[in-house]
Each structure stands twice: as C-alpha cells, then as structure tokens.
C-alpha cells in the first residue's frame, strides 16, 4: 500500500510517499481501508522530530481517519458492531496517512448521520480532545464560561461549536480579525485579538455581571507563556486544561493564587492514553457529540483537501497557518 513516511526530522521536504506492507489486524483490531485522514499539529511535531510515536504505533503519521472496515483480527466477530463494509471514523495512535490502517475496534465509531465519509476524517481527534478535556477532565457545566485559546484552529473551531451546543458561554482568542470573524460565525460569544487586546481584561469585562468575573474552564494550546494570565482570569473553582505548548512547557505557578481560587491545573495528551481510555472517550463522543452533528448544531470545518501524493503540499499549507478548521488527505 502507499503510506507517508518522514525521511528525516525536518520541514515539509521530509514528507514522502512510500510503498509498505498492508498491516495485519491484531487481536481486537479491525483493518480500515482509509478514505481520508486528518492533519493535526502533532503530525507536524512528529515530522520535526519533537514528538516520537508511542511504542507500537509505527512511524506512519496520522491520528485520525475515516474509511471502510475490510477485515478484522481475532476476537472481533461480525455482529459486534464492527462488520466488514461498515463506514467508520477512528482515533489512532498513528498510521493514518496510508491506504490501510489497523486500529482497535473500540476506537472506531460509525460515521455520524449527515456527514460525508471524507469529512468524517477530521472529527475523531478534535471531538475526542475537546470532549475529554473540557467535559470529562475539567467538568464544564452548561451555563458556565469557557475560554478557548486558538479559537479558529482545528481544535478551537470544534470546541466553540460543541460547547455552545452543550449550553456553555464561549470566549476565544485568535491572531487576526479574519480568524476572529470565523470564530464568531461558529458561535463564539466573545472573540479577543491576542495581538491587540488583553484576554484577562476582556474575559473579565464579558463576565462582569458574575459574582467572581472570569472563566470557569480554559482550554489552552499556548502553555507556559499564558500560565500566569490563565490563572489570573480563572473564576473561583476554575479549571485550566492545558493541551498544547506553542508558548513553551516550563513556567512558574503561583500556588497561593491557585489555592485561594480553589482552582485546578490539568494537562493531558490524548495520544499517550491507553487503548481502553481512548475507547471510553470515543463512546462518550459518539453518545454526546455525534447527535450534535446529526441535528446540525455542529458542522464539520473542512478547510482544504489534498491527495495522499500531495501530503508534502498539505504540510506546507498547514505550516503556513492560513487554514481555518481542518486540513485532510483524501486517500483515493
Ligand atoms: N493534548 C492533546 O491531547 C492534544 C490533542 C490535539 C491537539 N493538541 C494541541 O492543540 C493545539 C491546536 O491543535 P490544532 O490541530 O487545532 O492546530 P491548528 O489548527 O494549527 O491550530 C493552532 C491554533 O493555535 C493558535 N495559537 C498559536 N499561538 C497562539 C497564541 N499565542 N494565542 C492564542 N492562540 C494561538 C492559532 O491561532 P492563530 O492562528 O489565530 O494565531 C491556531 O488557532 C496544538 O498545539 C496541538 O498540539 C493537543
């Protein structure tokens, strides 16, 4: 089969399509003929040599796909919900930029009604990241305020829509007026230009009617650079969920202020979670997020689709930061 490999650690020039063996589904796994694969920031980090795949994941990049089940490994039988011919999307530990991928059956879910097989490729990673961090870890409740840094990216654009449909108020940060308009179109209540405005001030202004102004939950992709200000803008009993480190990994934390606010700092990475946890997250996503798609409270945000042979161009485009929403590779 054709699959993408990184020939070295580096820029898009190391992205190459090679021929490799089709993987064998192991016990509990299904083999998926891939229709499309989603690009994620983690793929870029892997390409740069900064994010090695977890043990057993192999070198082929790609954390999410859509496609058709074509066979299954020992322990997966027809009638268990993972039948040959079923159209699914899947959360992976790697291997998605390829014609076929083997994945634990429990990490696949049916393509949501009303979504095309191709578009479905861009859903598993963002939906699982947003739902597991904002709801399962940080416990956001309907009526609370969520602040999302990077509101126009793949994660951010899903977070706005899912959490608005969930009943939360959503504030976002972004780097340009065009990106902020996009976030507003997706339903953001407050959109803050981080190049020109102070997000602490803006969130406090938007929540000034509350007893303790501030955000209840923050979904943060910036990390160290924002830690102090994130803590400052949290309301009482606020929860900060850090999922990205574009602004560094090391910073000083004011434990006194954390204690005074009875706040929590959480940090997770989805890729490193054991298969059982990923399966549980995908079940919750299927139960809570998929109906939002079916009822049109959430729309897919495919920005651009490249062919597998254009994987290098897709990485160049992703690196440029021009995209809004998801970038996909269509495999056929
Ligand atoms: N921990 C996990 O399990 C997990 C899972 C998936 C993704 N992630 C992380 O989540 C992040 C977003 O992923 P993605 O796929 O959505 O990437 P993406 O589509 O490229 O989005 C990146 C976003 O980061 C924003 N950003 C960069 N610098 C910023 C700053 N100083 N302040 C506010 N926003 C800033 C960008 O906003 P502008 O373009 O407006 O500057 C952009 O919206 C990545 O760091 C990724 O590694 C983590």
């Amino acid at each position: 089969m054709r699959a993408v490999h990184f020939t070295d650690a580096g820029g898009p020039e190391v992205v190459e399509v090679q021929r490799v063996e089709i993987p064998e589904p192991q016990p509990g796994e299904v083999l998926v003929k891939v229709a499309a694969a989603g690009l994620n920031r983690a793929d870029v980090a892997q390409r740069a040599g900064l994010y090695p795949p977890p043990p057993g994941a192999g070198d082929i990049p790609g954390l999410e796909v859509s496609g058709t089940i074509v066979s299954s490994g020992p322990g997966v039988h027809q009638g268990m919900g993972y039948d040959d011919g079923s159209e699914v999307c899947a959360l992976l530990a790697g291997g998605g930029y390829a014609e076929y991928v083997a994945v634990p059956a429990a990490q696949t879910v049916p393509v949501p009604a009303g979504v095309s097989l191709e578009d479905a490729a861009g859903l598993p990673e963002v939906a699982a990241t947003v739902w597991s961090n904002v709801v399962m870890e940080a416990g956001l409740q309907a009526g609370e305020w969520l602040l999302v840094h990077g509101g126009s990216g793949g994660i951010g654009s899903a977070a706005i829509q899912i959490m608005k449909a969930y009943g939360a108020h959503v504030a976002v940060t972004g780097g340009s007026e065009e990106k902020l308009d996009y976030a507003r179109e997706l339903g953001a209540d407050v959109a803050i230009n981080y190049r020109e405005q102070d997000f602490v001030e803006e969130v406090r202004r938007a929540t000034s009617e509350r007893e303790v102004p501030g955000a209840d939950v923050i979904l943060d992709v910036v990390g160290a650079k924002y830690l102090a200000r994130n803590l400052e803008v949290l309301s009482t009993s606020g929860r900060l969920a850090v999922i990205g480190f574009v602004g560094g990994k090391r910073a000083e934390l004011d434990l006194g202020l954390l204690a005074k606010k009875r706040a929590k700092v959480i940090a997770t990475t989805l890729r490193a979670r054991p298969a059982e946890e990923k399966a549980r997250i995908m079940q919750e996503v299927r139960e809570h997020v998929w109906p939002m798609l079916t009822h049109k409270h959430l729309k897919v945000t495919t920005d651009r689709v490249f062919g597998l042979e254009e994987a290098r161009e897709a990485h160049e485009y992703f690196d440029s930061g021009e995209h809004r929403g998801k970038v996909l590779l269509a495999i056929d």
Side-chain angles (χ1 to χ4, degrees):
M1 67 170 186
R2 290 172 303 146
V4 168
H5 269 274
F6 300 142
T7 53
D8 204 348
E13 72 284 353
V14 304
V15 177
E16 224 175 72
V17 177
Q18 297 182 346
R19 292 203 83 84
V20 298
E21 291 296 318
I22 294 176
E24 277 283 320
Q26 299 303 302
E29 290 186 343
V30 290
L31 184 67
V32 175
K33 184 178 191 306
V34 179
L39 263 71
N40 287 282
R41 196 55 41 199
D43 310 344
V44 172
Q46 182 175 334
R47 191 196 72 206
L50 303 172
Y51 194 38
D59 289 337
I60 302 170
L63 300 178
E64 56 183 351
V65 293
S66 60
T68 309
I69 295 178
V70 288
S71 66
S72 38
V76 183
H77 306 290
Q78 303 296 297
M80 287 173 70
Y82 310 110
D83 296 347
D84 292 357
S86 304
E87 292 190 337
V88 293
C89 41
L91 183 67
L92 312 170
Y97 291 17
E99 287 181 285
Y100 292 88
V101 66
V103 54
Q107 284 170 224
T108 69
V109 292
V111 171
V115 176
S116 74
L117 184 59
E118 184 172 279
D119 279 338
L123 291 171
E125 176 74 14
V126 289
T129 301
V130 169
W131 190 264
S132 62
N133 281 286
V134 176
V135 178
M136 295 169 76
E137 298 287 345
L140 185 77
Q141 305 286 320
E144 286 192 320
W145 273 89
L146 170 69
L147 169 63
V148 180
H149 290 302
S152 68
I155 296 287
S157 52
I160 295 168
Q161 298 185 79
I162 294 171
M163 294 309 151
K164 282 302 293 177
Y166 183 68
H169 306 285
V170 180
V172 301
T173 59
S176 71
E177 281 313 311
E178 193 207 351
K179 291 193 171 190
L180 294 175
D181 282 344
Y182 178 67
R184 285 188 198 98
E185 272 167 39
L186 294 175
D189 299 287
V190 177
I192 303 158
N193 187 329
Y194 66 77
R195 295 183 204 281
E196 292 169 8
Q197 293 171 291
D198 174 358
F199 71 79
V200 177
E201 228 171 73
E202 296 304 320
V203 171
R204 284 197 178 143
R205 195 194 323 273
T207 56
S208 60
E209 308 273 280
R210 311 182 75 191
E211 201 180 314
V212 182
D216 299 292
V217 172
I218 303 174
L219 184 65
D220 177 42
V221 297
V222 178
K225 199 172 133 200
Y226 278 4
L227 183 64
R229 278 188 287 159
N230 276 337
L231 185 52
E232 225 181 296
V233 79
L234 275 182
S235 183
T236 308
S237 302
R239 293 83 75 198
L240 165 63
V242 182
I243 61 161
F245 313 99
V246 292
K249 291 182 182 167
R250 286 173 186 270
E252 218 170 82
L253 177 64
D254 182 342
L255 289 170
L257 186 55
L258 191 71
K260 197 167 141 204
K261 292 194 171 193
R262 301 186 296 286
K264 290 191 180 105
V265 180
I266 304 157
T268 69
T269 126
L270 184 60
R271 191 179 196 182
R273 284 180 184 249
E276 312 80 68
E277 282 186 33
K278 286 184 181 156
R280 191 164 58 84
I281 291 168
M282 288 311 282
Q283 269 320 108
E284 289 220 9
V285 161
R286 181 180 179 180
E287 194 179 322
H288 299 283
V289 181
W290 267 209
M292 294 175 183
L293 286 151
T294 307
H295 296 119
K296 310 277 181 229
H297 298 307
L298 167 60
K299 61 177 185 188
V300 288
T301 56
T302 304
D303 172 284
R304 213 163 141 186
V305 184
F306 293 82
L308 182 65
E309 302 292 339
E310 300 169 313
R312 184 177 295 176
E313 288 80 0
H315 267 244
E316 278 166 358
Y317 178 62
F318 198 77
D319 278 6
S320 76
E322 283 167 41
H323 62 287
R324 301 181 311 185
K326 294 294 295 189
V327 179
L328 306 180
L329 293 180
I331 305 304
D332 285 332

